[in-house]
Amino acid sequence: MLRNLPTNTLSADLQLAAARAHFDKHGSALCNAAGLIDGEAGMARVQRLMTGLREASRLDRGTRRRLVDLHRLLSLDPVIDELEPDLSHWSLLDPASIEVEELCLLTDRLYDLLVEIGELDEERDALALALPARDAA
């Protein structure tokens, strides 16, 4: 059974808050989708990611990498680190099925999360550059 992720934490990390909110809403579906593609290993991957998000105080580089790896798995891009997942489960899926449609929607939403995380990074960098200029004025 999956536990909900805390979305009302004291973390000042907006990227972590966005990831937690995303997995709070879509975590179970992502777990099932990864299970359709990579079986128990796929489900375990999402559960480890959710546990990491629950325990984190900020969204670190390793967690970002695991989010990208999950997106690649859901996109059926088999190159994830040096380990290739067992993709035999997805070969039985009907491309016209509702499961595949849901998988595509989840993959798109995860991509949107990755874009949001990237944009939050750019905003933080822009804010850091703007601070010295304000102090000088």
Side-chain angles (χ1 to χ4, degrees):
M1 173 180 245
L2 296 175
R3 292 184 283 173
N4 288 338
L5 289 169
T7 55
N8 57 351
T9 63
L10 298 176
S11 174
D13 188 344
L14 297 176
Q15 296 169 327
L16 178 61
R20 283 178 173 169
H22 183 85
F23 277 83
D24 185 53
K25 185 174 183 179
H26 303 291
S28 294
L30 285 165
C31 191
N32 292 335
L36 281 174
I37 295 170
D38 196 21
E40 293 292 323
M43 292 178 75
R45 176 188 312 238
V46 175
Q47 290 169 345
R48 282 191 305 270
L49 180 57
M50 290 177 70
T51 298
L53 289 171
R54 190 184 304 83
E55 296 171 351
S57 60
R58 64 180 184 82
L59 194 65
D60 62 11
R61 176 177 267 173
T63 304
R64 290 180 198 199
R65 178 66 192 181
R66 286 186 288 281
L67 286 168
V68 171
D69 288 346
L70 176 60
H71 181 264
R72 292 179 75 182
L73 175 70
L74 296 179
S75 301
L76 303 179
D77 182 358
V79 182
I80 299 175
D81 293 329
E82 287 82 42
L83 305 174
E84 288 194 24
D86 174 19
L87 299 179
S88 62
H89 297 87
W90 70 269
S91 63
L92 301 175
L93 294 175
D94 175 14
S97 71
I98 191 74
E99 290 88 7
V100 172
E101 183 177 338
E102 179 69 18
L103 175 66
C104 292
L105 290 173
L106 286 168
T107 304
D108 289 346
R109 288 181 189 132
L110 185 56
Y111 177 79
D112 292 342
L113 172 66
L114 294 172
V115 168
E116 180 181 354
I117 288 170
E119 288 172 350
L120 287 170
D121 238 359
E122 291 172 7
E123 288 174 12
R124 184 177 300 160
D125 290 343
L127 181 61
L129 291 173
L131 286 176
R134 271 197 304 181
D135 289 342

